[in-house]
Amino acid sequence: GQLLADQGLVSMSEAVRTVSGIQKNYGDLNDIAFNIRGVENFFNIYRNGIGQYAWNQQEDIAMIEKIEFIKGPAGFIVSNFPPGGFVNIVTKQPIREPVASVTAEYGSFNLFRLSTDWGGAFSKKSKFTYRFNAGFHDQDRAFQFSHARRYFLCGVIKYEPDKKNTITAEYNYMWGKTSGNNSNVPSVNGNLFSLPRNFGVADSKTDNLIRADNYFRLLATHQFNNTWSVNLLLGNIYGKWGQDYRLLADGYTPVTNDTLYRYAERDGWRSSYRMAQVYLNGTYYTGKHIEHKLFSAFDYCSSGGTDDWGTTDGKF
């Protein structure tokens, strides 16, 4: 967490730039996907151990405590998994020490950020601790029709009735909107950056990509003794990814004189993911010299999605 703050990062896209073997593959300021060791991965980005859902809104750095990476096969953690690797984002969790901060940031292209972080215990003897993070991000980009905005709300509360039991409940809401068709760079005869910076295929009245992400998590732990424990993890994530209409260059109709032909496309994706996991961990011994570690789990998930998609045949 301290490294993320010292580097002055604002998004996951920036955070992975200094991690070897991992490159951002898809997404701009909203959703995100990675190439890990040369393998394309869409479902390998987890949050607090919950993942396998697509098109999630990109997390803001202000809500992240740390980022965990596993490079190479990660089947020992999740069996149904791409071979490239694994990314787990850990959000800021409750602590007993008081936390209270407000941060304002300014930058190039009218960048403005405002975030807050609050946490601690309700009292010295309280069995409840909490953490609350909220933030707002607004900026332009170096190209035309490029305004971007997002905000997030993250609340976590933890109950510790005794030393052997804990219950943690968390809710995250993230919303992001980017204007302009910024997924592709226009070129002339395959030559990139041959057009002026203010050239854009997008339209100022359309091309608004909106992403909303709702995330619920419940974690319950019980410590039987010093060697045996059981964890229950429940998750419910749902959201939307889409835009009413965007204008794209028509690659099948050649440019005539100074006219570029475009077509309109509509895309509205809705996704959901529900999961339940129970983990039993323990250690026992055979005689005095042989130690056995047992790790067993039950995993259930239900995911789905719908896509309202369409395109036009007319030229614009």
Side-chain angles (χ1 to χ4, degrees), residues 93-95 99 118-122 128-132 156-158:
Q93 296 300 301
I95 54 177
V99 176
W118 300 84
F122 291 100
F128 289 90
T129 54
Y130 72 96
R131 197 74 175 266
F132 175 76
V156 195
I157 188 168
K158 185 176 182 180

Side-chain angles (χ1 to χ4, degrees), residues 39-97:
V39 179
E40 186 177 56
N41 294 272
F42 286 95
F43 302 99
N44 64 338
I45 306 174
Y46 279 49
R47 195 188 314 163
N48 299 315
I50 301 177
Q52 298 279 350
Y53 56 97
W55 315 124
N56 58 309
Q57 166 65 30
Q58 188 176 154
E59 289 85 358
D60 192 283
I61 289 297
M63 61 185 283
I64 298 176
E65 180 66 38
K66 62 180 179 179
I67 307 172
E68 301 170 333
F69 300 94
I70 294 179
K71 303 172 187 178
F76 67 96
I77 293 180
V78 182
S79 57
N80 181 19
F81 210 75
F86 175 86
V87 178
N88 184 48
I89 299 166
V90 180
T91 57
K92 293 180 178 179
Q93 296 300 301
I95 54 177
R96 298 202 68 87
E97 295 78 13

Side-chain angles (χ1 to χ4, degrees), residues 128-142:
F128 289 90
T129 54
Y130 72 96
R131 197 74 175 266
F132 175 76
N133 292 274
F136 172 79
H137 178 111
D138 188 87
Q139 72 173 102
D140 294 322
R141 305 295 296 281

Side-chain angles (χ1 to χ4, degrees), residues 26-229:
Y26 182 86
D28 193 64
L29 295 177
N30 290 84
D31 48 13
I32 191 172
F34 293 142
N35 269 343
I36 301 181
R37 290 192 167 180
V39 179
E40 186 177 56
N41 294 272
F42 286 95
F43 302 99
N44 64 338
I45 306 174
Y46 279 49
R47 195 188 314 163
N48 299 315
I50 301 177
Q52 298 279 350
Y53 56 97
W55 315 124
N56 58 309
Q57 166 65 30
Q58 188 176 154
E59 289 85 358
D60 192 283
I61 289 297
M63 61 185 283
I64 298 176
E65 180 66 38
K66 62 180 179 179
I67 307 172
E68 301 170 333
F69 300 94
I70 294 179
K71 303 172 187 178
F76 67 96
I77 293 180
V78 182
S79 57
N80 181 19
F81 210 75
F86 175 86
V87 178
N88 184 48
I89 299 166
V90 180
T91 57
K92 293 180 178 179
Q93 296 300 301
I95 54 177
R96 298 202 68 87
E97 295 78 13
V99 176
S101 68
V102 177
T103 303
E105 301 173 73
Y106 300 89
S108 302
F109 301 106
N110 298 319
L111 170 66
F112 172 71
R113 287 172 51 81
L114 185 65
S115 60
T116 183
D117 183 9
W118 300 84
F122 291 100
S123 66
K124 292 184 178 180
K125 297 183 179 181
S126 176
K127 297 179 179 180
F128 289 90
T129 54
Y130 72 96
R131 197 74 175 266
F132 175 76
N133 292 274
F136 172 79
H137 178 111
D138 188 87
Q139 72 173 102
D140 294 322
R141 305 295 296 281
F143 47 84
Q144 194 176 29
F145 311 136
S146 57
H147 190 76
R149 176 175 295 175
R150 70 172 181 262
Y151 62 84
F152 68 91
L153 298 169
C154 300
V156 195
I157 188 168
K158 185 176 182 180
Y159 174 55
E160 298 177 272
D162 50 51
K163 294 183 178 181
K164 292 187 176 181
N165 297 280
T166 66
I167 300 175
T168 304
E170 179 173 1
Y171 172 68
N172 303 161
Y173 178 76
M174 300 186 296
W175 181 92
K177 177 181 178 181
T178 53
S179 302
N181 175 20
N182 50 41
S183 298
N184 304 289
V185 177
S187 63
V188 176
N189 297 324
N191 297 319
L192 294 177
F193 312 112
S194 54
L195 292 169
R197 179 180 294 179
N198 63 355
F199 178 88
V201 179
D203 191 274
S204 61
K205 304 299 182 182
T206 62
D207 294 63
N208 292 317
L209 173 62
I210 296 176
R211 184 66 177 95
D213 191 301
N214 293 273
Y215 171 98
F216 298 88
R217 179 176 72 103
L218 180 66
L219 174 65
T221 66
H222 175 69
Q223 193 80 26
F224 295 104
N225 48 46
N226 293 331
T227 57
W228 288 90
S229 65

